[in-house]
Amino acid sequence: MEIELAVRPYQRRFVKPLHTAHGLWTWREGLLVRLRDSRERVGYGEIAPIPWFGSEALEEALSFCNAQDKKWQAETVPDGLPATQFGVGCALAELVKEDFCAGYEPVIPGDSFANANICGLLPAGETALDLASQRLAQGHRTLKWKIGVHAITDEIRWLERLTEKLPSHIQLRLDANGGLSIDQAEQWLATCDRINADPQMAAIEHLEQPLPPDRLGAMQEMSKRYRTAIALDESVATVAQLEQCWAQGWRGVMVVKPAIAGSPQRLQAFCHTHRPRLVFSSAFETGVGRRAALAVASRCATTPAPALGFGTQGWFADDWDTLTAAELWNRL
Ligand SMILES: [Mg+2]
């Protein structure tokens, strides 16, 4: 059967540029994929790369897609293009009605029932203290705060104030993006253990990626000495890396961004075989990739499922979150 692969590039502007380890992120760029077969069946997908997080660059995804003629074959997307594998894999699943990446209810922005299962984001620094109550009012029960941005003594002081201020049933995730030294990571873990020992204070759910990806052994060793969980994120950008860390003995939490992890089928197979403790997270994709990523998350989830790292709606200066795949395709 012949399948035509077409792509349309998109650009979305963040309401406020994001601070990343790579600098300021102002525009989110990606591709919408449309597959169409000779019976006029159609499937949409999204390629939303984050090259500094281990995926291919947008140009690589685009040149792969442009090189495919009408005799495209699903199995030809190479492992070096994980975001493309995801986008094309989901479009193909939709086209053949495998329903693999579909069927998950879109989350309505501001819906506090839905937000109870979604991790709300706090800005780095002291402003988190002001914004936290707003996130709780939006219905979030888990909040994530970036650390390793300001002086550690200031950040630890702010964390203590934050956990005193928040109700005790609220959970906090701390994300260091691999930016701590071993000494700093130990200081954070000791602080988290102390906070978690106090039932009056909000709990720290985990410390995310304290050290760079090449320090897996050190993180494994630390995870044995502290009670607060360590979660891998940058270490496990793709399914291949999830499999590697698992093979090296990591049994702690791992954060997965399905949109850049590679083949959704391979991710599901890994989850069903090993039942890893996964936290699913957004890659700042459009509604097309978001619905597909949430569908994958719902199929791979363990119970009780940790809050979804998808608190990214309303971060773009457009109305795309309300559009269907076909509507967005026609706008591009
Ligand atoms: Mg992270």
Side-chain angles (χ1 to χ4, degrees):
M1 177 179 47
E2 285 196 1
I3 298 177
E4 176 204 57
L5 188 160
V7 288
R8 289 187 178 171
Y10 71 76
Q11 285 194 324
R12 312 179 76 182
R13 192 168 57 79
F14 284 100
V15 172
K16 246 166 80 186
L18 293 193
H19 289 272
T20 72
H22 198 71
L24 271 191
W25 198 8
T26 308
W27 291 88
R28 210 294 173 235
E29 294 182 291
L31 303 169
L32 232 55
V33 183
R34 189 190 64 188
L35 297 179
R36 191 162 59 181
D37 68 7
S38 48
R39 291 159 53 192
E40 290 295 314
R41 294 186 303 176
V42 171
Y44 292 98
E46 177 177 353
I47 301 172
I50 310 182
W52 65 86
F53 214 96
S55 88
E56 69 272 44
L58 178 67
E59 298 71 32
E60 293 172 87
L62 187 59
S63 66
F64 171 83
C65 292
N66 287 337
Q68 308 309 307
D69 58 17
K70 292 198 170 187
K71 293 185 200 73
W72 174 77
Q73 297 290 320
E75 58 273 23
T76 58
V77 183
D79 280 347
L81 304 176
T84 308
Q85 277 185 340
F86 176 80
V88 173
C90 287
L92 185 68
E94 191 188 45
L95 177 122
V96 301
K97 293 286 177 272
E98 256 177 39
D99 212 26
F100 192 88
C101 304
Y104 199 94
E105 283 302 305
V107 177
I108 303 151
D111 179 332
S112 66
F113 177 73
N115 279 346
N117 301 318
I118 289 185
C119 181
L121 297 175
L122 295 176
E126 198 176 7
T127 42
L129 287 158
D130 300 326
L131 222 89
S133 47
Q134 204 177 312
R135 293 283 175 262
L136 298 192
Q138 289 166 339
H140 296 288
R141 295 292 169 263
T142 304
L143 302 175
K144 175 160 143 171
W145 188 44
K146 292 257 181 223
I147 61 163
V149 179
H150 301 275
I152 186 166
T153 45
D154 289 335
E155 289 186 336
I156 286 180
R157 197 160 39 83
W158 297 329
L159 176 70
E160 283 164 346
R161 274 167 55 198
L162 190 58
T163 48
E164 276 166 23
K165 179 181 157 167
L166 292 170
S168 57
H169 66 281
I170 299 298
Q171 301 223 63
L172 264 178
R173 294 173 181 171
L174 306 182
D175 191 358
N177 290 112
L180 304 180
S181 66
I182 290 192
D183 274 2
Q184 291 171 327
E186 304 231 11
Q187 226 178 309
W188 276 109
L189 287 164
T191 303
C192 294
D193 277 5
R194 186 162 43 75
I195 290 169
N196 283 343
D198 183 344
Q200 307 297 319
M201 288 167 108
I204 312 299
E205 185 184 7
H206 62 236
L207 171 62
E208 203 166 303
Q209 196 77 37
L211 306 179
D214 60 355
R215 307 303 307 275
L216 181 68
M219 288 189 277
Q220 244 164 334
E221 197 272 322
M222 273 194 292
S223 71
K224 292 185 192 124
R225 286 190 292 112
Y226 294 93
R227 298 179 69 91
T228 304
I230 294 176
L232 301 182
D233 186 6
E234 280 82 351
S235 289
V236 290
T238 63
V239 188
Q241 288 164 343
L242 274 179
E243 291 167 347
Q244 273 165 23
C245 287
W246 188 266
Q248 288 174 57
W250 181 265
R251 295 295 179 271
V253 182
M254 298 187 278
V255 181
V256 180
K257 296 172 173 53
I260 58 166
S263 153
Q265 289 85 354
R266 185 171 165 189
L267 176 57
Q268 185 171 328
F270 173 77
C271 291
H272 286 181
T273 308
H274 299 296
R275 294 270 148 213
R277 293 161 64 196
L278 299 186
V279 170
F280 289 91
S281 179
S282 157
F284 290 98
E285 55 285 286
T286 72
V288 177
R290 177 188 179 88
R291 286 186 286 272
L294 285 170
V296 171
S298 74
R299 280 160 191 255
C300 294
T302 46
T303 37
L308 296 159
F310 279 82
T312 53
Q313 291 205 306
W315 284 58
F316 291 97
D318 58 43
D319 65 347
W320 291 7
D321 290 341
T322 62
L323 303 179
T324 66
E327 284 167 348
L328 181 55
W329 177 262
N330 289 328
R331 286 243 196 133
L332 300 175

